Amino acid sequence: MAGAQETQLYCLADPTYYDTPGRLRDRAGRYRLGLGAPPAGWRRERRGLWTALRPDGARLPEQGWKIHVSTVPEEAEETLLAVARVCTARRTTFKFLRSDEALRVANGKYMGRGSSGKFVTVYPGSEQEFLAVAAELAEVLAGRLGPYVLTDLRIGTAPVYVRYGAFVELWCQDEDGRPVPALRDPSGELVPDRRDPVFQLPAWVEPPEELRPHLAAREAAGGDLPYRIVEVLQFSNAGGIYLAEHRTTGERVVLREARPHAGLDAAGDDAVTRLRREQWALERLAGLDCVPRLHEVRTVWEHTFLVQEHIEGVQLFAEAIRRYPLVHQNCTAGQRAEYAHWVAGVVAGLEKALGALHERGVRFGDLHPANVIVRPDGSVVLVDFEYAEELTGRSVPIAGAGALQPPPGLDGADADRHMLWATWLMLLMPVMELAERDPGKLPALERRARQWFGLGPEEGPVRPGAVAPVAPVEPVGERRVRELLAGPTLDAARNELVAGIHAGATPDRPDRLFPGDPAGFADGGTGVAHGAAGVLYALHRAGAPCPDEYADWLIAAMRRRGPRPGAGGLFDGPLGVAAVLARVGRGDEAAELAAQARQARPAPTVALHGGRAGAALARLRLADALGSRRELADALADARALDAVLRGRTVPGLGAPTAAGLLYGLAGIALVQLRLYQRTGEDWLLASGREALGRAVAQCVRVPDGSVQVLDRGRRLAYLDRGSSGIALVAREYQALGGSGSEGLEGSEGFDGSEGFDGSEGFDGSEGFGGFGEFGGFGEFLADVRRVCAPGFVREPGLFRGRAGLLLALDRLGGPAARDAVREQVRKLQWHLVARPEGLLVPGMRLRRFSADLHTGAAGVLLALRAVEQGLEGGELLDALTLGPRGAGRRGGLS
């Protein structure tokens, strides 16, 4: 899935769905060079935010020295025309960002630092041409401004930079099995084209002699800070935030780095502009105990650093996550009251802090839980004053994310007070993004918060501009969703989900068929997790209408993409797509993709999602659907490799398993080996599966509320993808085998449960396990996992990392009252689902936009509701989650 910063980029082009930045609505601001007829003898190509100009007949090498030119919006069009004159005169291929808005996006605060600053890219046809063009551009652009391109070597003092890299689209796999841009080394092997934010050369490349002076200038540039970096707290395109120590005194400080002309925000301000605002605010507010003390501001090399007091404490957002009681299944009224009391104390402290700022004539402008530090004594400190301004000023934009943003017309003190109210509500209901998807959710969120935490209408901060207490009337959309999920059957809810999926389909687009997580664009919108294949599978499994054009689109998209460097696993890559096509009756095309995957490099990881376990299970699905003995043989070969790794033997190109869960770890291996054992009867497969399952259990801990969860790098995980619920579903099947399957699961040789627990500090009461014997057997383990499958609060609705998956696990692991508990979890999906005229829509990962995909969106929720109604047994449910055959349920529906 996309990270938080990358997700922001995919919110720019469409207010409803995640979409590629290339569909930005910027036509009115396009540069003239990209419009009209191209120059005589040249061809124009458009791809995403970029426009390329290539001379007729030009043939680029695969790789070589390329040139990047950076700029600032004020100079962009003039800089572009200057570069174009040089390149057209020399008939050198180049590309450029198509508009000022595209430039602001590419150089924005949340853009990756590896691509930051690149406005024009020039592709010389030879090293001699490269040196000539670079020298001419450095002369022509002398004196112009632009951010430093961190991946490159600067030529002189102009905004001209160079690096050795790929010219054409080549792909290979990185160490995690993901496809990445590639270079060809001298042996002909494809290796990753590294784009880390530091200049580096491939090991076999010797820089031309003409670059030596620039390399020397780079080594000699800059200076040094009298501080030693202890920890990187945050990286962004704007610069870094670092915990540091003074080299002489040892005093701890925080360094806030600002890159000139980089990290542009929505107003077009760069990082240095915002840092200077922060300097102004800290100087104005000096002496207040709710504000860090300013030490100094200094420039080192081209970057400006603000040095401020390090506040001992924890970020309010992190502290709220640690304390939040509703994630526990049996949360008591006392625990809710205790949390509400803590929130009230924090908000009172924030109200006092804002009052102190306002008395000094300063508006904070960016209050949210990530910009507050809670000291050990409970007092609060405001940090990040980049959007501070005079209380009566109007020149600096008010920040605030999403639903925390003040409404139009509020400024100064009232804007801060609105963000205080929104912060209070976010601490009680940390799903405020839902109000962006549907404004009707906001009063519902406040009503629910007051109900859950026993708060009267007069409690909590005042919301500026609010004319009355929260209205008791339920919004129409909320009522519609509630009624759909509360009926005797879920047919109507499923129909509305299907309608929403069809409404979002775009068969005219080549890059995606259904909207999903931003990660779906990486594979052309085709994959099972985030692309068309997963949606087709869910529609087919649910018995919903699935037009032939959907399968046609998927087949055409896979053929357009052609062979890729890796076969992938079940949820990404061609094998998973092939398994879906076989399931929906497109066997010939499935066999075609399977043959392509057979020629690709095997996945270097073991995971079910994108690794060797997933490849084995996909091949087993294909063997069953197509009657292919070869696919079964290939699946068994994958299983032998997995078994060898489990037993500590080296398998070339395959890493050892580290995670525990179903999609990304050991439980997925256990499932694959079990399915192949059931298919072939070979006992070594069952032994291998037992080993994997025992190790997965050994990575679980019992937490203070009595539930059992995976402990992974300090995080406790319960979801299907990486957590204990996925492990429990697999364990349930081994339990069903009885004596033939449970022997040896009481402990795994050489695995005592302690490995990987370095991040467990702070989890008081957590205990690691060596195997099922620690629980008294399967039954106790399953019962303890069941405790975490019906929490009062879940942030996201999705199948593999949200409420939909947990309710499925609860359905299979539940005790006598399981059906009532499952019904309650189904009803709670109403908090997330949004009713639109076209149907029900499902917010995806991070809740910033809607998604239809299997992993995070509507297809996954559809599959879950169908599985609940079918009453699938354990093995059938796991098969439903992993593209297996569709079987009839053995239990009744929800009624």
Side-chain angles (χ1 to χ4, degrees):
M1 255 76 67
Q5 291 186 344
E6 186 182 358
T7 298
Q8 299 255 27
L9 292 174
Y10 285 84
C11 294
L12 297 173
D14 191 307
T16 303
Y17 299 115
Y18 293 116
D19 211 340
T20 172
R23 296 181 72 85
L24 196 68
R25 293 168 181 150
D26 63 346
R27 186 155 191 86
R30 300 281 179 93
Y31 297 129
R32 294 190 302 273
L33 190 62
L35 302 174
W42 289 71
R43 290 180 292 117
R44 182 185 289 128
E45 301 167 1
R46 296 184 176 92
R47 185 169 185 178
L49 293 174
W50 295 90
T51 298
L53 283 170
R54 184 195 300 261
D56 289 342
R59 293 180 61 86
L60 290 176
E62 280 189 342
Q63 59 200 44
W65 286 95
K66 62 175 73 172
I67 303 167
H68 291 117
V69 175
S70 68
T71 191
V72 293
E74 299 78 15
E75 300 179 0
E77 187 133 31
E78 290 183 7
T79 295
L80 174 58
L81 292 175
V83 174
R85 283 192 290 271
V86 172
C87 291
T88 53
R90 293 180 174 274
R91 296 187 62 76
T92 302
T93 299
F94 67 103
K95 71 177 182 180
F96 56 92
L97 289 169
R98 68 194 190 195
S99 67
D100 274 345
E101 192 168 356
L103 172 62
R104 287 190 172 93
V105 168
N107 198 25
K109 189 175 181 180
Y110 301 106
M111 195 66 179
R113 297 189 307 150
S115 57
S116 172
K118 298 173 182 178
F119 172 55
V120 183
T121 305
V122 181
Y123 299 92
S126 66
E127 188 172 294
Q128 182 180 6
E129 183 182 355
F130 155 68
L131 293 169
V133 173
E136 185 172 359
L137 288 175
E139 180 180 349
V140 167
L141 300 177
R144 292 192 180 274
L145 300 176
Y148 201 101
V149 178
L150 297 174
T151 58
D152 289 24
L153 172 68
R154 188 171 193 165
I155 303 300
T157 59
V160 177
Y161 303 84
V162 303
R163 70 179 289 265
Y164 189 95
F167 282 18
V168 299
E169 191 175 89
L170 298 172
W171 295 88
C172 68
Q173 291 176 283
D174 66 8
E175 56 274 11
D176 296 320
R178 297 170 300 193
V180 293
L183 291 169
R184 198 178 301 279
D185 69 15
S187 71
E189 182 81 5
L190 290 177
V191 297
D193 182 8
R194 301 288 181 188
R195 299 176 185 186
D196 302 321
V198 61
F199 177 66
Q200 55 187 334
L201 287 172
W204 68 89
V205 174
E206 188 70 22
E209 192 62 33
E210 290 84 348
L211 294 185
R212 298 290 181 187
H214 305 295
L215 288 165
R218 177 177 176 273
E219 292 297 324
D224 198 10
L225 283 166
Y227 303 96
R228 180 179 65 84
I229 303 298
V230 175
E231 181 183 353
V232 176
L233 303 177
Q234 179 182 313
F235 267 141
S236 77
N237 192 18
I241 302 177
Y242 312 92
L243 177 64
E245 289 180 350
H246 195 281
R247 295 184 188 276
T248 302
T249 67
E251 181 181 8
R252 289 208 159 186
V253 297
V254 171
L255 306 180
R256 300 180 70 89
E257 176 188 28
R259 299 178 56 216
H261 316 303
L264 304 180
D265 62 16
D269 292 331
D270 73 351
V272 175
T273 300
R274 295 193 299 275
L275 183 140
R276 292 299 180 185
R277 286 203 293 258
E278 180 150 16
Q279 178 185 359
W280 166 83
L282 294 182
E283 289 172 346
R284 173 75 72 90
L285 301 171
L288 295 180
D289 63 0
C290 59
V291 175
R293 184 173 73 258
L294 175 66
H295 287 276
E296 63 173 319
V297 175
R298 65 166 65 197
T299 298
V300 176
W301 184 51
E302 298 188 5
H303 296 184
T304 301
F305 291 85
L306 182 147
V307 186
Q308 66 182 38
E309 173 190 7
H310 171 242
I311 304 297
E312 292 290 344
V314 63
Q315 188 188 65
L316 174 57
F317 184 71
E319 182 66 6
I321 290 174
R322 188 183 72 82
R323 291 173 174 263
Y324 198 66
L326 296 181
V327 296
H328 305 301
Q329 181 174 354
N330 298 314
C331 174
T332 66
Q335 289 170 326
R336 293 195 295 271
E338 180 182 355
Y339 180 77
H341 179 74
W342 173 78
V343 169
V346 168
V347 169
L350 290 173
E351 194 166 22
K352 180 180 177 183
L354 290 176
L357 267 62
H358 297 164
E359 285 180 6
R360 296 206 183 179
V362 176
R363 182 207 76 193
F364 186 39
D366 194 15
L367 179 62
H368 57 78
N371 283 348
V372 178
I373 301 296
V374 181
R375 289 192 177 104
D377 64 2
S379 62
V380 296
V381 179
L382 302 175
V383 295
D384 195 349
F385 284 80
E386 290 186 339
Y387 292 94
E389 191 189 20
E390 295 279 358
L391 195 60
T392 57
R394 291 179 177 270
S395 61
V396 177
I398 294 171
L404 276 70
Q405 181 79 32
L410 290 185
D411 54 19
D414 276 348
D416 279 350
R417 292 188 188 106
H418 174 89
M419 286 187 278
L420 175 65
W421 170 84
T423 296
W424 165 78
L425 185 54
M426 186 176 184
L427 293 174
L428 298 174
M429 295 294 296
V431 287
M432 290 289 282
E433 297 91 340
L434 293 175
E436 296 178 71
R437 314 281 66 77
D438 178 6
K441 294 283 187 189
L442 193 58
L445 288 174
E446 184 170 354
R447 278 199 311 275
R448 195 166 291 130
R450 292 184 183 278
Q451 176 186 353
W452 281 356
F453 292 100
L455 302 176
E458 75 289 347
E459 295 183 82
V462 175
R463 179 184 180 187
V467 297
V470 179
V473 179
E474 185 179 31
V476 173
E478 286 288 285
R479 184 171 67 251
R480 180 181 168 199
V481 176
R482 177 175 57 77
E483 291 171 351
L484 287 170
L485 295 173
T489 74
L490 295 174
D491 289 348
R494 288 190 290 106
N495 290 341
E496 289 287 294
L497 282 168
V498 170
I501 290 171
H502 288 314
T506 53
D508 56 317
R509 285 181 57 166
D511 60 338
R512 75 145 192 232
L513 176 57
F514 300 103
D517 190 81
F521 288 104
D523 64 7
T526 58
V528 173
H530 302 298
V535 182
L536 260 67
Y537 171 70
L539 291 171
H540 176 74
R541 184 112 198 170
C546 190
D548 289 342
E549 68 173 334
Y550 291 173
D552 293 341
W553 184 97
L554 178 57
I555 292 162
M558 292 299 292
R559 286 172 175 165
R560 279 195 304 271
R561 294 184 73 227
R564 304 300 278 182
L570 186 67
F571 290 90
D572 70 344
L575 281 170
V577 175
V580 169
L581 289 175
R583 187 67 56 207
V584 300
R586 305 298 285 265
D588 291 344
E589 291 88 348
E592 174 187 330
L593 283 179
Q596 281 186 14
R598 204 171 292 122
Q599 306 304 315
R601 180 176 298 178
T605 63
V606 299
L608 194 64
H609 181 277
R612 202 71 65 87
L617 193 52
R619 286 175 168 131
L620 176 59
R621 301 303 187 210
L622 288 166
D624 291 339
L626 303 178
S628 170
R629 293 184 179 180
R630 182 166 187 178
E631 293 299 336
L632 180 59
D634 287 347
L636 286 168
D638 286 330
R640 291 187 187 93
L642 292 169
D643 182 63
V645 169
L646 282 172
R647 304 199 179 278
R649 297 197 292 273
T650 300
V651 177
L654 187 60
T658 55
L662 177 63
L663 259 60
Y664 298 99
L666 289 153
I669 299 176
L671 175 62
V672 170
Q673 307 299 57
L674 177 60
R675 284 290 175 268
L676 284 167
Y677 163 74
Q678 291 169 328
R679 182 72 159 75
T680 67
E682 297 185 21
D683 289 339
W684 70 269
L685 286 162
L686 187 59
S688 180
R690 289 201 305 263
E691 175 71 15
L693 184 58
R695 290 192 183 190
V697 172
Q699 289 184 253
C700 294
V701 296
R702 181 177 284 116
V703 298
D705 67 1
S707 68
V708 166
Q709 302 178 46
V710 169
L711 184 61
D712 182 359
R713 290 169 291 183
R715 299 174 300 160
R716 294 178 292 184
L717 306 174
Y719 296 127
L720 287 184
D721 64 344
R722 298 177 186 272
S724 55
S725 63
I727 298 172
L729 288 178
V730 179
R732 178 77 173 77
E733 280 210 72
Y734 277 83
Q735 181 191 42
L737 289 177
S740 64
S742 60
E743 297 159 354
L745 280 170
E746 287 70 25
S748 295
E749 183 179 351
F751 200 92
D752 63 7
S754 63
E755 294 143 341
F757 283 26
D758 294 339
S760 62
E761 292 87 357
F763 294 103
D764 297 335
S766 299
E767 304 170 17
F769 299 103
F772 287 103
E774 303 279 348
F775 299 91
F778 275 105
E780 185 178 337
F781 172 75
L782 298 178
D784 289 339
V785 173
R786 185 186 308 137
R787 295 173 184 269
V788 81
C789 293
F793 173 86
V794 177
R795 179 168 158 77
E796 294 174 0
L799 177 63
F800 287 112
R801 202 177 295 178
R803 190 180 295 278
L806 289 178
L807 71 87
L808 281 182
L810 179 68
D811 192 36
R812 286 307 309 127
L813 304 176
R819 300 303 287 170
D820 289 340
V822 170
R823 287 187 66 91
E824 179 63 22
Q825 291 300 305
V826 168
R827 284 193 290 268
K828 286 180 178 178
L829 280 171
Q830 80 171 83
W831 305 343
H832 291 92
L833 306 190
V834 173
R836 294 277 184 95
E838 62 269 30
L840 283 182
L841 302 186
V842 179
M845 190 67 70
R846 306 187 196 285
L847 308 178
R848 297 294 308 279
R849 294 292 187 270
F850 295 111
S851 168
D853 72 29
L854 184 71
H855 195 298
T856 70
V861 175
L862 173 66
L863 190 68
L865 294 186
R866 181 59 173 163
V868 165
E869 280 214 310
Q870 286 181 310
L872 299 181
E873 296 294 346
E876 293 173 317
L877 174 57
L878 277 171
D879 283 339
L881 295 173
T882 57
L883 315 188
R886 183 168 59 189
R890 298 199 183 101
R891 291 183 287 121
L894 281 174
S895 57

